[in-house]
Amino acid sequence: MNVQDQEAAGSASPLSAAVEERIRAEVGRYPQRRTGLLPALKIAQEETHFLPPPVIARVADMVGVSHASANELVTFYSMLRTKPLGTTVVEVCAQLPCALRGADELLGLLAAALEIEPGDTTPNGAVTLLRSHECFGACNRAPMCVVNDEYRENLRGKALEAFLAEVETAAGLEGQTS
Amino acid sequence: MAEALPPVTVIIDGQEVRVPKGTLLIEAAKKAGVEIPVFCYHPKMKPVGACRMCLVDIQKMPRLQTACTTPVSEGMIVHTRNDRATAGQKAVLELMLANHPLDCPICDKGGECPLQDNTFKFGLGVSRFTEPKRKLAKAIPLSERIVLDRERCIMCYRCVRFQDEIAGDQALAAMDRAGTSQIGVLDGETFDSPFSGNTIDLCPVGALLSRQYRFRARPWDLQRTPSICAGCAVGCNVELHARDRALQRMVPRENMAINNEWLCDFGRFDTLPLGIERLREPAVDGQPTSWAEALESAAELLRSGPTEVIVSPSITNEALNAATTIARELKAGLGVWPATTGQVRRTIQDLVTSKTIILLGLDVWRALPVLALRVREALKAGGKLYFVGAGANGLWRDTSATFATVEELVQALTHDGALPQPISILGWGADALGDELAAEGMVGSPATAANGAAMTGLPKATFEAPVQLLVGNEDWPLRSSASARIQLRWSAAGDAADRPSIVLPLAHPYEQTGSLINLEGTVQQLHPGAAAPAAAHPDWLALAELAEALHISAAPDMETNAALA
Ligand code: SF4
Ligand code: SF4
Ligand code: FES
Ligand code: FES
């Protein structure tokens, strides 16, 4: 089966025709189709917000790489998401300076407050808790975290208490924790 | 090519050795008789320098270097066993074991594990780590055939590289990254590749294991017998591993002229007579009996004729000779079924060195799997692959162009000059196209059954005679009500509606001697790697006995058979 046949075989695509068209055009721009995998996945994610296995498989078939190879790429880049995100995304920096100033404790407190594991989303879909793979460049105010692209810094003492309350509110868990 | 480069002299552990410039240090060391420990390096795949096991001290280099990625240069002086080098090697092993579960007593790899061997030979002997080890998932079924133990994996990428470089289907990949990276597939899918079993051999630890063989034996308990895969006409060279005379697994033996060092999963797992109900005793009309009585009844039935002798294309040459003699003496018809026979000119080596390969509707990937890997070797060396036809082509990833007809191919590819030689052409109509293109590679329609090449001249069986002698383990077509059948087979007879009049139990090809001719015409010997059920006889012996019961004088070949027994 060649690439085109494989495309034809997957009749019920999880992607819209418009997005598939964009992916096809994008992949066609590279001398090696494989190079188009990363941009193709980004285009798919614009539509589906995260990349569940059927979407990864479809994009892989369109580009002509194995499903395993496409999954390798998706799991390597943290900005390609394999799980849906909540309305509020709390990303805790856990790189060295933050780690030295208690990032792991912060992450643990948040996980306990939200009753989820890092990487997961509250069952009501309100808050996603993430452990960052990159330094946010705010080490001088460690430990810190990023809430929907906004920084919350120096998260100790009073600031920490206020922040935990903020996150609980966002999660709709107000007053449930003592 | 490395051979063309001028030789350079290097000194490894005081040994002077001359090798072509650009040779990897690890290979130069082998030539000097110096062993450098490795995990990720494998001579059949590109070096990646992933594991750092092969650290050596090269004079004038500030830091230790990986021998598997360093090409030699003139005058290089290398120490693999001085204090610096051994300290590096020990450190690598110590770190590798920091999180390794060391569950060797319950690990199938124990006894044939490079991690064990390197640790004993090059390691520290004790660990300074007191921290708890990482806990990860164990015995994850990656497929029907293979389980993965994430704790044991050392991320050497050999399995991933095999599927990418050798099989070309990229069926495995490394998921996530850094400390959490792991071997896997897409969630919800399985590790599906017709060559997946090779990753078990390649894995330098007990991370990828065969579900068929798991917990069945220890390497030091195995009796090892060289033999030939009976799965198809490639005739891959194998080693049969038995414990207490019972077959446990099959692994490849390297033969660069035939299978390189690979096996397909069908051959490796599915040709073994494991979990298959065996035919254990002769029977006449469903009643168990002795060989002598069954042979007597069979002889009587055959003499009552008219008879057709029908052979499977997977029986040995010796059995074929005996069957031919019986058919001739009985004046019976002789046919083959299924007709997976064929012939090619030239050899697999000529295919591997071809610059142009044309497949005429032949899906080598499925029909002759390991031959597809050999085709890929030719492509990696710059060859081009073309496919003619609308059917399946497992090598589609590597195919330069697909054509509907031979005419279209000729028109498209030869309009600006001849195709580069050697040209190999395989499939129906290969001979005609081969002549047209003056092909110098492997040309023909290859047999696909294990001994199909030996039966090329035989007509296809008709199944019309009232008495039919069926030799070999096939799913024979249902008999018409009128006919009487004598079957010689090793698996329990299938369909009750097809219950043969007489059955004689055979040894499995892995339990007997005999020879097979592979698709290129090479004669190879089977050797019994395990004991057959007590009453089962080798195919050629059973037929010789039948000839004797028929008072047919044994053909000269049968003396050879007797010598083989
Ligand atoms: S599973 Fe085995 S071969 Fe694959 S990366 Fe891990 S250790 Fe290497
Ligand atoms: S290619 Fe054929 S001979 Fe080789 S292992 Fe597979 S079935 Fe056996
Ligand atoms: S380490 Fe956390 S912001 Fe730099
Ligand atoms: S063997 Fe050289 S780095 Fe792995």
Side-chain angles (χ1 to χ4, degrees), chain B residues 249-287:
Chain B
R249 70 171 174 187
M250 185 164 106
V251 297
R253 264 186 307 135
E254 187 186 73
N255 182 342
M256 291 313 291
I258 296 182
N259 56 304
N260 196 327
E261 64 171 86
W262 318 122
L263 292 183
C264 76
D265 286 2
F266 171 74
R268 177 191 299 261
F269 301 113
D270 298 344
T271 67
L272 304 189
L274 299 177
I276 296 173
E277 203 193 323
R278 296 294 295 267
L279 185 60
R280 297 194 172 271
E281 40 194 4
V284 176
D285 294 325
Q287 294 307 308

Side-chain angles (χ1 to χ4, degrees), chain B residues 148 152-160 183 199 202-205 207-208:
Chain B
L148 167 69
R152 293 182 192 147
C153 173
I154 58 167
M155 293 309 286
C156 69
Y157 303 103
R158 275 188 177 192
C159 53
V160 175
I183 298 306
T199 62
L202 290 170
C203 182
V205 296
L208 293 173

Side-chain angles (χ1 to χ4, degrees), chain B residues 128-148:
Chain B
R128 288 174 295 175
F129 287 103
T130 52
E131 294 77 6
K133 297 194 182 214
R134 217 161 45 158
K135 291 261 176 296
L136 296 172
K138 295 176 84 73
I140 311 163
L142 279 187
S143 70
E144 295 277 297
R145 307 200 189 274
I146 294 178
V147 283
L148 167 69

Side-chain angles (χ1 to χ4, degrees), chain B residues 367-392:
Chain B
L368 298 162
V370 170
L371 199 66
L373 300 187
R374 305 310 308 267
V375 166
R376 295 196 79 252
E377 284 177 46
L379 306 183
K380 265 188 274 176
K384 287 238 176 320
L385 177 68
Y386 304 100
F387 189 82
V388 177

